[in-house]
Each structure stands twice: as structure tokens, then as C-alpha cells.
Amino acid sequence: MTTKSRKYNIFHKFYRKIKLNMIKLFRSPGGARKVSLGFALGFGLEMIVISTGSLVYLIFYPTVRLAGGSLPAAIIGNVIGKLTFLPIVLLPFAKKIGEWFFPKKMVDIPVQEHAWRNLLSGDFTIFKHLLQGGLHVLIGMSVFGLVLGVISFFVVRFLYNQRKRHRLAKRQNAAAVKSL
């Protein structure tokens, strides 16, 4: 007898992944502050992954530990940030916000093509131009990361406390029924 595995559509799979990560988040060790801080750091740092070329992961662990957040919650926040595709959606807006904070007048470098031969001969101006061109995006995504991190801190803290109260009430009801 063969059993057919059920095929889920992409939206159902997405919903199940989000739900699984949220259950893991609410059951991770630590109090509401530690879990929500870890989640907020992971979610906020996810916003600057694209603009830093994934170099932000070098400071991910030390940042979470120094801030006193929960590392599992930070990883879950980072995964949820990836699943929402927010960094990709916010990229054009981040460039505009970055230009507000750091005007183009301060970075007045003409766009020019660079040959790889120049890089091999020791001319590293290509990196300077790449960094200055992406600076506006980095600043904008940092602002988005900060704002979304602060918002997610309070949302996760509220949801964590609600879930905790719900589980406690459920446990007390089960104990009351069991004692009858």
C-alpha cells in the first residue's frame, strides 16, 4: 500500500514556515525582554544584509550576545526577515532615505567603468566607488532596520506575553478539570 504525500501550494508552505518559526520563538528560553530583543536584533540586522554583501553576519553573534538578546530568537527573526522579502521591497525607498541623510553633494564622484586589469595592477579605486555608491542604500536600510527592529521588539514582546498568559490559563483549566 502506497501513501501519496500531500502537495501544498506555495502560500500554505509559507504560512506553515512562519507558524513553525513563531512557535519556536515563543518556546525559546529566556524572558519576554530577552526573546523580543533577540528577535528585534535579528530582524533589524536582516535589513542590511543585502547592502553589506552578507558581511553583517560577521558581527551578528557578537551583537546579539553583547546586547543580551536570545540567539535562537535572533536567528528566527533573521529567518522571518528573509521570508518576508522586506529587504528587497524596501531597497528603492532605502536609497531615497539614504540620500536625505547623506546628500549626493557630499559624494560627487562621476560614474566610470573599471577594468579588472586595473584591479590586478593594484588600482583599488573600484572598491571606493562601489562603497560610495552603495552608501545611500546602506544608510537607508540601516534606518529601516532600526525602525522595524524597534517595532518588532514591542510586537514580539506583546505576543510573547499574550501567549504566556494563554498557556498559563490553559494549564490552570486543565488542572481544575483534573482535580474534579
Side-chain angles (χ1 to χ4, degrees):
M1 184 170 154
T2 61
T3 59
K4 260 188 175 176
S5 64
R6 187 169 176 186
K7 304 237 180 200
Y8 295 104
N9 65 18
I10 193 166
F11 298 112
H12 193 259
K13 287 180 185 178
F14 180 75
Y15 170 73
R16 287 173 56 101
K17 285 181 183 178
I18 294 278
K19 187 176 176 182
L20 174 69
N21 283 319
M22 291 306 283
I23 289 171
K24 284 182 187 178
L25 174 69
F26 292 131
R27 292 188 180 170
S28 63
R33 184 200 154 282
K34 187 173 183 177
V35 170
S36 57
L37 181 63
F39 183 88
L41 286 171
F43 193 73
L45 286 175
E46 175 58 33
M47 296 301 131
I48 60 172
V49 166
I50 294 174
S51 55
T52 60
S54 297
L55 289 175
V56 74
Y57 289 121
L58 295 175
I59 63 164
F60 187 80
Y61 179 77
T63 303
V64 173
R65 286 297 175 209
L66 286 174
S70 169
L71 186 64
I75 293 170
I76 291 169
N78 199 278
V79 168
I80 289 179
K82 283 183 193 326
L83 291 175
T84 58
F85 295 111
L86 272 177
I88 296 169
V89 172
L90 297 175
L91 214 53
F93 303 112
K95 184 161 175 49
K96 292 292 182 191
I97 289 175
E99 289 171 358
W100 288 345
F101 284 103
F102 195 71
K104 281 186 175 181
K105 295 172 193 165
M106 296 176 84
V107 182
D108 194 22
I109 296 175
V111 177
Q112 53 185 319
E113 292 185 23
H114 295 279
W116 288 105
R117 285 178 269 137
N118 294 353
L119 186 62
L120 294 175
S121 66
D123 183 19
F124 296 110
T125 57
I126 184 172
F127 292 120
K128 180 181 174 186
H129 292 156
L130 281 174
L131 286 174
Q132 288 176 337
L135 190 61
H136 294 119
V137 175
L138 178 62
I139 292 170
M141 289 307 278
S142 298
V143 169
F144 275 128
L146 182 69
V147 169
L148 292 174
V150 168
I151 291 170
S152 68
F153 174 82
F154 292 110
V155 169
V156 169
R157 191 171 190 172
F158 174 76
L159 292 174
Y160 187 92
N161 288 331
Q162 286 291 102
R163 184 71 179 159
K164 189 175 177 181
R165 277 190 228 110
H166 174 71
R167 287 175 64 193
L168 184 62
K170 194 174 174 182
R171 202 175 296 148
Q172 287 175 348
N173 287 341
V177 169
K178 191 175 182 181
S179 67
L180 290 175

